[in-house]
mmCIF file of all heavy atoms in Angstrom:
data_model
loop_
_atom_site.group_PDB
_atom_site.id
_atom_site.type_symbol
_atom_site.label_atom_id
_atom_site.label_comp_id
_atom_site.label_asym_id
_atom_site.label_seq_id
_atom_site.Cartn_x
_atom_site.Cartn_y
_atom_site.Cartn_z
ATOM 1 N N ILE X 746 -6.619 1.898 -1.569
ATOM 2 C CA ILE X 746 -5.975 1.440 -0.342
ATOM 3 C C ILE X 746 -5.445 2.628 0.442
ATOM 4 O O ILE X 746 -5.614 2.741 1.657
ATOM 5 C CB ILE X 746 -4.856 0.437 -0.673
ATOM 6 C CG1 ILE X 746 -5.438 -0.868 -1.214
ATOM 7 C CG2 ILE X 746 -4.007 0.139 0.603
ATOM 8 C CD1 ILE X 746 -4.427 -1.858 -1.707
ATOM 9 N N ALA X 747 -4.836 3.569 -0.261
ATOM 10 C CA ALA X 747 -4.332 4.788 0.408
ATOM 11 C C ALA X 747 -5.487 5.575 1.005
ATOM 12 O O ALA X 747 -5.394 6.101 2.144
ATOM 13 C CB ALA X 747 -3.559 5.636 -0.591
ATOM 14 N N ASP X 748 -6.614 5.646 0.296
ATOM 15 C CA ASP X 748 -7.767 6.365 0.810
ATOM 16 C C ASP X 748 -8.361 5.708 2.036
ATOM 17 O O ASP X 748 -9.003 6.356 2.863
ATOM 18 C CB ASP X 748 -8.844 6.456 -0.274
ATOM 19 C CG ASP X 748 -8.453 7.391 -1.411
ATOM 20 O OD1 ASP X 748 -7.555 8.234 -1.209
ATOM 21 O OD2 ASP X 748 -9.033 7.232 -2.518
ATOM 22 N N ALA X 749 -8.150 4.382 2.161
ATOM 23 C CA ALA X 749 -8.739 3.636 3.289
ATOM 24 C C ALA X 749 -7.969 3.777 4.586
ATOM 25 O O ALA X 749 -8.413 3.354 5.648
ATOM 26 C CB ALA X 749 -8.837 2.157 2.914
ATOM 27 N N ILE X 750 -6.754 4.347 4.497
ATOM 28 C CA ILE X 750 -5.910 4.465 5.686
ATOM 29 C C ILE X 750 -6.421 5.549 6.612
ATOM 30 O O ILE X 750 -6.789 6.655 6.171
ATOM 31 C CB ILE X 750 -4.462 4.711 5.272
ATOM 32 C CG1 ILE X 750 -3.892 3.445 4.659
ATOM 33 C CG2 ILE X 750 -3.596 5.192 6.431
ATOM 34 C CD1 ILE X 750 -2.512 3.607 4.031
ATOM 35 N N THR X 751 -6.468 5.270 7.913
ATOM 36 C CA THR X 751 -6.925 6.192 8.936
ATOM 37 C C THR X 751 -5.857 6.351 10.000
ATOM 38 O O THR X 751 -4.777 5.728 9.931
ATOM 39 C CB THR X 751 -8.239 5.710 9.583
ATOM 40 O OG1 THR X 751 -7.933 4.580 10.434
ATOM 41 C CG2 THR X 751 -9.260 5.284 8.543
ATOM 42 N N ASP X 752 -6.167 7.116 11.037
ATOM 43 C CA ASP X 752 -5.212 7.269 12.118
ATOM 44 C C ASP X 752 -5.104 6.004 12.979
ATOM 45 O O ASP X 752 -4.247 5.944 13.883
ATOM 46 C CB ASP X 752 -5.530 8.498 12.979
ATOM 47 C CG ASP X 752 -6.944 8.433 13.588
ATOM 48 O OD1 ASP X 752 -7.654 7.417 13.386
ATOM 49 O OD2 ASP X 752 -7.331 9.406 14.280
ATOM 50 N N ARG X 753 -5.963 5.009 12.712
ATOM 51 C CA ARG X 753 -5.875 3.719 13.401
ATOM 52 C C ARG X 753 -5.063 2.692 12.604
ATOM 53 O O ARG X 753 -4.763 1.608 13.135
ATOM 54 C CB ARG X 753 -7.273 3.178 13.684
ATOM 55 C CG ARG X 753 -8.088 3.972 14.673
ATOM 56 C CD ARG X 753 -9.502 3.459 14.753
ATOM 57 N NE ARG X 753 -9.517 2.002 15.052
ATOM 58 C CZ ARG X 753 -10.437 1.148 14.631
ATOM 59 N NH1 ARG X 753 -11.439 1.584 13.867
ATOM 60 N NH2 ARG X 753 -10.375 -0.129 14.943
ATOM 61 N N THR X 754 -4.687 3.003 11.404
ATOM 62 C CA THR X 754 -3.967 2.046 10.552
ATOM 63 C C THR X 754 -2.511 1.893 11.036
ATOM 64 O O THR X 754 -1.835 2.885 11.267
ATOM 65 C CB THR X 754 -3.960 2.487 9.098
ATOM 66 O OG1 THR X 754 -5.293 2.714 8.647
ATOM 67 C CG2 THR X 754 -3.300 1.442 8.198
ATOM 68 N N ARG X 755 -2.080 0.654 11.192
ATOM 69 C CA ARG X 755 -0.710 0.391 11.606
ATOM 70 C C ARG X 755 0.067 -0.431 10.567
ATOM 71 O O ARG X 755 1.301 -0.468 10.621
ATOM 72 C CB ARG X 755 -0.723 -0.350 12.928
ATOM 73 C CG ARG X 755 -1.307 0.432 14.085
ATOM 74 C CD ARG X 755 -0.437 1.634 14.445
ATOM 75 N NE ARG X 755 -1.037 2.411 15.518
ATOM 76 C CZ ARG X 755 -1.877 3.443 15.337
ATOM 77 N NH1 ARG X 755 -2.195 3.823 14.112
ATOM 78 N NH2 ARG X 755 -2.373 4.100 16.337
ATOM 79 N N LEU X 756 -0.643 -1.121 9.651
ATOM 80 C CA LEU X 756 0.029 -2.031 8.750
ATOM 81 C C LEU X 756 -0.763 -2.203 7.483
ATOM 82 O O LEU X 756 -2.014 -2.201 7.499
ATOM 83 C CB LEU X 756 0.202 -3.402 9.428
ATOM 84 C CG LEU X 756 0.788 -4.556 8.649
ATOM 85 C CD1 LEU X 756 2.222 -4.260 8.221
ATOM 86 C CD2 LEU X 756 0.754 -5.830 9.480
ATOM 87 N N VAL X 757 -0.044 -2.324 6.368
ATOM 88 C CA VAL X 757 -0.653 -2.616 5.061
ATOM 89 C C VAL X 757 0.028 -3.856 4.481
ATOM 90 O O VAL X 757 1.259 -3.921 4.439
ATOM 91 C CB VAL X 757 -0.509 -1.419 4.081
ATOM 92 C CG1 VAL X 757 -1.129 -1.769 2.742
ATOM 93 C CG2 VAL X 757 -1.138 -0.156 4.664
ATOM 94 N N PHE X 758 -0.770 -4.827 4.045
ATOM 95 C CA PHE X 758 -0.243 -5.984 3.328
ATOM 96 C C PHE X 758 -0.495 -5.777 1.846
ATOM 97 O O PHE X 758 -1.597 -5.487 1.419
ATOM 98 C CB PHE X 758 -0.965 -7.281 3.751
ATOM 99 C CG PHE X 758 -0.637 -7.766 5.117
ATOM 100 C CD1 PHE X 758 -1.642 -8.227 5.957
ATOM 101 C CD2 PHE X 758 0.663 -7.796 5.600
ATOM 102 C CE1 PHE X 758 -1.375 -8.708 7.220
ATOM 103 C CE2 PHE X 758 0.950 -8.270 6.865
ATOM 104 C CZ PHE X 758 -0.061 -8.729 7.663
ATOM 105 N N LEU X 759 0.590 -5.888 1.044
ATOM 106 C CA LEU X 759 0.469 -5.784 -0.403
ATOM 107 C C LEU X 759 1.130 -6.992 -1.017
ATOM 108 O O LEU X 759 2.366 -7.135 -0.965
ATOM 109 C CB LEU X 759 1.124 -4.511 -0.930
ATOM 110 C CG LEU X 759 0.556 -3.175 -0.423
ATOM 111 C CD1 LEU X 759 1.360 -2.015 -1.018
ATOM 112 C CD2 LEU X 759 -0.919 -3.014 -0.834
ATOM 113 N N CYS X 760 0.354 -7.872 -1.597
ATOM 114 C CA CYS X 760 0.874 -9.093 -2.210
ATOM 115 C C CYS X 760 1.087 -8.887 -3.676
ATOM 116 O O CYS X 760 0.140 -8.657 -4.431
ATOM 117 C CB CYS X 760 -0.155 -10.229 -1.983
ATOM 118 S SG CYS X 760 0.441 -11.873 -2.458
ATOM 119 N N THR X 761 2.348 -8.941 -4.131
ATOM 120 C CA THR X 761 2.643 -8.727 -5.549
ATOM 121 C C THR X 761 3.805 -9.625 -5.968
ATOM 122 O O THR X 761 4.878 -9.520 -5.409
ATOM 123 C CB THR X 761 2.957 -7.240 -5.852
ATOM 124 O OG1 THR X 761 3.219 -7.059 -7.245
ATOM 125 C CG2 THR X 761 4.140 -6.681 -5.035
ATOM 126 N N PRO X 762 3.535 -10.572 -6.872
ATOM 127 C CA PRO X 762 2.270 -10.860 -7.553
ATOM 128 C C PRO X 762 1.168 -11.218 -6.549
ATOM 129 O O PRO X 762 1.480 -11.928 -5.548
ATOM 130 C CB PRO X 762 2.604 -12.036 -8.474
ATOM 131 C CG PRO X 762 4.104 -12.004 -8.628
ATOM 132 C CD PRO X 762 4.635 -11.468 -7.348
ATOM 133 N N ASN X 763 -0.028 -10.808 -6.855
ATOM 134 C CA ASN X 763 -1.111 -11.037 -5.932
ATOM 135 C C ASN X 763 -1.564 -12.496 -6.028
ATOM 136 O O ASN X 763 -1.622 -13.084 -7.127
ATOM 137 C CB ASN X 763 -2.298 -10.125 -6.238
ATOM 138 C CG ASN X 763 -3.397 -10.245 -5.207
ATOM 139 O OD1 ASN X 763 -3.145 -10.244 -4.019
ATOM 140 N ND2 ASN X 763 -4.623 -10.358 -5.672
ATOM 141 N N ASN X 764 -1.869 -13.086 -4.900
ATOM 142 C CA ASN X 764 -2.396 -14.436 -4.821
ATOM 143 C C ASN X 764 -3.854 -14.340 -4.389
ATOM 144 O O ASN X 764 -4.126 -13.829 -3.300
ATOM 145 C CB ASN X 764 -1.593 -15.235 -3.808
ATOM 146 C CG ASN X 764 -2.138 -16.645 -3.571
ATOM 147 O OD1 ASN X 764 -2.820 -17.195 -4.407
ATOM 148 N ND2 ASN X 764 -1.808 -17.203 -2.424
ATOM 149 N N PRO X 765 -4.843 -14.737 -5.226
ATOM 150 C CA PRO X 765 -4.714 -15.651 -6.356
ATOM 151 C C PRO X 765 -4.760 -15.049 -7.744
ATOM 152 O O PRO X 765 -4.649 -15.797 -8.739
ATOM 153 C CB PRO X 765 -5.922 -16.532 -6.158
ATOM 154 C CG PRO X 765 -6.983 -15.577 -5.695
ATOM 155 C CD PRO X 765 -6.245 -14.612 -4.787
ATOM 156 N N SER X 766 -4.937 -13.744 -7.886
ATOM 157 C CA SER X 766 -5.181 -13.207 -9.236
ATOM 158 C C SER X 766 -3.895 -13.172 -10.082
ATOM 159 O O SER X 766 -3.969 -13.145 -11.314
ATOM 160 C CB SER X 766 -5.756 -11.781 -9.152
ATOM 161 O OG SER X 766 -4.815 -10.885 -8.609
ATOM 162 N N GLY X 767 -2.722 -13.159 -9.422
ATOM 163 C CA GLY X 767 -1.448 -13.178 -10.152
ATOM 164 C C GLY X 767 -0.980 -11.853 -10.684
ATOM 165 O O GLY X 767 0.136 -11.740 -11.231
ATOM 166 N N THR X 768 -1.778 -10.781 -10.541
ATOM 167 C CA THR X 768 -1.412 -9.487 -11.094
ATOM 168 C C THR X 768 -0.360 -8.801 -10.227
ATOM 169 O O THR X 768 -0.259 -9.078 -9.020
ATOM 170 C CB THR X 768 -2.654 -8.605 -11.207
ATOM 171 O OG1 THR X 768 -3.316 -8.559 -9.936
ATOM 172 C CG2 THR X 768 -3.612 -9.133 -12.262
ATOM 173 N N CYS X 769 0.402 -7.900 -10.827
ATOM 174 C CA CYS X 769 1.505 -7.248 -10.134
ATOM 175 C C CYS X 769 1.312 -5.711 -10.147
ATOM 176 O O CYS X 769 0.774 -5.150 -11.093
ATOM 177 C CB CYS X 769 2.837 -7.555 -10.837
ATOM 178 S SG CYS X 769 3.281 -9.311 -10.862
ATOM 179 N N ALA X 770 1.800 -5.106 -9.087
ATOM 180 C CA ALA X 770 1.916 -3.660 -9.064
ATOM 181 C C ALA X 770 3.252 -3.239 -9.662
ATOM 182 O O ALA X 770 4.230 -3.968 -9.527
ATOM 183 C CB ALA X 770 1.784 -3.121 -7.633
ATOM 184 N N THR X 771 3.284 -2.098 -10.287
ATOM 185 C CA THR X 771 4.563 -1.644 -10.880
ATOM 186 C C THR X 771 5.341 -0.857 -9.807
ATOM 187 O O THR X 771 4.812 -0.460 -8.767
ATOM 188 C CB THR X 771 4.343 -0.695 -12.073
ATOM 189 O OG1 THR X 771 3.739 0.533 -11.578
ATOM 190 C CG2 THR X 771 3.402 -1.335 -13.094
ATOM 191 N N THR X 772 6.624 -0.633 -10.096
ATOM 192 C CA THR X 772 7.450 0.123 -9.167
ATOM 193 C C THR X 772 6.913 1.508 -8.963
ATOM 194 O O THR X 772 6.815 1.995 -7.822
ATOM 195 C CB THR X 772 8.895 0.196 -9.709
ATOM 196 O OG1 THR X 772 9.396 -1.126 -9.921
ATOM 197 C CG2 THR X 772 9.810 0.902 -8.715
ATOM 198 N N GLU X 773 6.532 2.160 -10.021
ATOM 199 C CA GLU X 773 6.041 3.546 -9.899
ATOM 200 C C GLU X 773 4.710 3.619 -9.196
ATOM 201 O O GLU X 773 4.442 4.561 -8.438
ATOM 202 C CB GLU X 773 5.939 4.200 -11.304
ATOM 203 C CG GLU X 773 7.289 4.574 -11.883
ATOM 204 C CD GLU X 773 8.119 5.423 -10.925
ATOM 205 O OE1 GLU X 773 7.575 6.381 -10.340
ATOM 206 O OE2 GLU X 773 9.291 5.108 -10.704
ATOM 207 N N GLU X 774 3.848 2.629 -9.405
ATOM 208 C CA GLU X 774 2.595 2.597 -8.663
ATOM 209 C C GLU X 774 2.835 2.464 -7.160
ATOM 210 O O GLU X 774 2.191 3.152 -6.349
ATOM 211 C CB GLU X 774 1.720 1.447 -9.156
ATOM 212 C CG GLU X 774 1.114 1.650 -10.541
ATOM 213 C CD GLU X 774 0.454 0.410 -11.094
ATOM 214 O OE1 GLU X 774 0.761 -0.715 -10.613
ATOM 215 O OE2 GLU X 774 -0.381 0.533 -12.003
ATOM 216 N N LEU X 775 3.741 1.601 -6.815
ATOM 217 C CA LEU X 775 4.030 1.411 -5.388
ATOM 218 C C LEU X 775 4.738 2.654 -4.797
ATOM 219 O O LEU X 775 4.453 3.055 -3.672
ATOM 220 C CB LEU X 775 4.924 0.172 -5.200
ATOM 221 C CG LEU X 775 4.229 -1.168 -5.415
ATOM 222 C CD1 LEU X 775 5.207 -2.312 -5.452
ATOM 223 C CD2 LEU X 775 3.170 -1.412 -4.308
ATOM 224 N N ARG X 776 5.598 3.256 -5.571
ATOM 225 C CA ARG X 776 6.288 4.459 -5.090
ATOM 226 C C ARG X 776 5.290 5.584 -4.836
ATOM 227 O O ARG X 776 5.314 6.254 -3.806
ATOM 228 C CB ARG X 776 7.367 4.909 -6.092
ATOM 229 C CG ARG X 776 8.093 6.182 -5.667
ATOM 230 C CD ARG X 776 9.214 6.515 -6.595
ATOM 231 N NE ARG X 776 10.373 5.651 -6.416
ATOM 232 C CZ ARG X 776 10.819 4.790 -7.315
ATOM 233 N NH1 ARG X 776 10.202 4.698 -8.509
ATOM 234 N NH2 ARG X 776 11.850 4.007 -7.075
ATOM 235 N N SER X 777 4.364 5.758 -5.755
ATOM 236 C CA SER X 777 3.332 6.800 -5.577
ATOM 237 C C SER X 777 2.475 6.497 -4.360
ATOM 238 O O SER X 777 2.122 7.420 -3.600
ATOM 239 C CB SER X 777 2.458 6.884 -6.820
ATOM 240 O OG SER X 777 3.199 7.290 -7.940
ATOM 241 N N PHE X 778 2.149 5.232 -4.145
ATOM 242 C CA PHE X 778 1.367 4.851 -2.982
ATOM 243 C C PHE X 778 2.152 5.164 -1.693
ATOM 244 O O PHE X 778 1.617 5.768 -0.771
ATOM 245 C CB PHE X 778 1.065 3.362 -3.035
ATOM 246 C CG PHE X 778 0.520 2.780 -1.770
ATOM 247 C CD1 PHE X 778 -0.790 2.971 -1.419
ATOM 248 C CD2 PHE X 778 1.340 2.096 -0.888
ATOM 249 C CE1 PHE X 778 -1.308 2.453 -0.246
ATOM 250 C CE2 PHE X 778 0.851 1.566 0.295
ATOM 251 C CZ PHE X 778 -0.485 1.753 0.627
ATOM 252 N N LEU X 779 3.426 4.763 -1.647
ATOM 253 C CA LEU X 779 4.220 4.971 -0.459
ATOM 254 C C LEU X 779 4.414 6.455 -0.139
ATOM 255 O O LEU X 779 4.515 6.845 1.022
ATOM 256 C CB LEU X 779 5.579 4.267 -0.610
ATOM 257 C CG LEU X 779 5.483 2.727 -0.580
ATOM 258 C CD1 LEU X 779 6.771 2.108 -1.147
ATOM 259 C CD2 LEU X 779 5.248 2.224 0.839
ATOM 260 N N GLN X 780 4.441 7.268 -1.178
ATOM 261 C CA GLN X 780 4.583 8.699 -0.970
ATOM 262 C C GLN X 780 3.319 9.314 -0.368
ATOM 263 O O GLN X 780 3.382 10.377 0.246
ATOM 264 C CB GLN X 780 4.935 9.408 -2.293
ATOM 265 C CG GLN X 780 6.353 9.070 -2.793
ATOM 266 C CD GLN X 780 6.600 9.559 -4.203
ATOM 267 O OE1 GLN X 780 5.656 9.813 -4.963
ATOM 268 N NE2 GLN X 780 7.856 9.694 -4.575
ATOM 269 N N ARG X 781 2.193 8.638 -0.543
ATOM 270 C CA ARG X 781 0.913 9.181 -0.065
ATOM 271 C C ARG X 781 0.649 8.866 1.387
ATOM 272 O O ARG X 781 -0.141 9.590 2.035
ATOM 273 C CB ARG X 781 -0.236 8.585 -0.905
ATOM 274 C CG ARG X 781 -0.409 9.205 -2.292
ATOM 275 C CD ARG X 781 -1.743 8.729 -2.854
ATOM 276 N NE ARG X 781 -2.894 9.108 -2.012
ATOM 277 C CZ ARG X 781 -4.137 8.707 -2.227
ATOM 278 N NH1 ARG X 781 -4.413 7.915 -3.247
ATOM 279 N NH2 ARG X 781 -5.122 9.099 -1.429
ATOM 280 N N ILE X 782 1.211 7.812 1.927
ATOM 281 C CA ILE X 782 0.791 7.377 3.260
ATOM 282 C C ILE X 782 1.809 7.791 4.316
ATOM 283 O O ILE X 782 2.974 8.029 4.021
ATOM 284 C CB ILE X 782 0.596 5.831 3.286
ATOM 285 C CG1 ILE X 782 1.915 5.120 3.166
ATOM 286 C CG2 ILE X 782 -0.351 5.407 2.175
ATOM 287 C CD1 ILE X 782 1.790 3.632 3.456
ATOM 288 N N PRO X 783 1.379 7.899 5.566
ATOM 289 C CA PRO X 783 2.312 8.273 6.656
ATOM 290 C C PRO X 783 3.482 7.303 6.736
ATOM 291 O O PRO X 783 3.318 6.082 6.591
ATOM 292 C CB PRO X 783 1.420 8.194 7.889
ATOM 293 C CG PRO X 783 0.036 8.401 7.398
ATOM 294 C CD PRO X 783 -0.013 7.746 6.049
ATOM 295 N N SER X 784 4.645 7.846 7.019
ATOM 296 C CA SER X 784 5.867 7.028 7.023
ATOM 297 C C SER X 784 5.987 6.125 8.249
ATOM 298 O O SER X 784 6.909 5.306 8.305
ATOM 299 C CB SER X 784 7.096 7.948 6.940
ATOM 300 O OG SER X 784 7.117 8.830 8.047
ATOM 301 N N ASP X 785 5.071 6.287 9.226
ATOM 302 C CA ASP X 785 5.129 5.383 10.392
ATOM 303 C C ASP X 785 4.211 4.209 10.281
ATOM 304 O O ASP X 785 4.103 3.406 11.199
ATOM 305 C CB ASP X 785 4.810 6.174 11.671
ATOM 306 C CG ASP X 785 3.429 6.813 11.666
ATOM 307 O OD1 ASP X 785 2.770 6.794 10.582
ATOM 308 O OD2 ASP X 785 2.989 7.277 12.718
ATOM 309 N N ILE X 786 3.560 4.046 9.127
ATOM 310 C CA ILE X 786 2.706 2.879 8.884
ATOM 311 C C ILE X 786 3.542 1.842 8.108
ATOM 312 O O ILE X 786 4.028 2.137 7.020
ATOM 313 C CB ILE X 786 1.445 3.227 8.097
ATOM 314 C CG1 ILE X 786 0.538 4.180 8.927
ATOM 315 C CG2 ILE X 786 0.678 1.990 7.666
ATOM 316 C CD1 ILE X 786 -0.643 4.667 8.190
#
């Protein structure tokens, strides 16, 4: 998802627990993701 972000990206939806698979992202996974992407998205 982080790799898919471009200069046209304005919003990311992250469903956790995900519907319909029910799986969850961990706090550290999300923190690492948020550290990778521009802070204005």
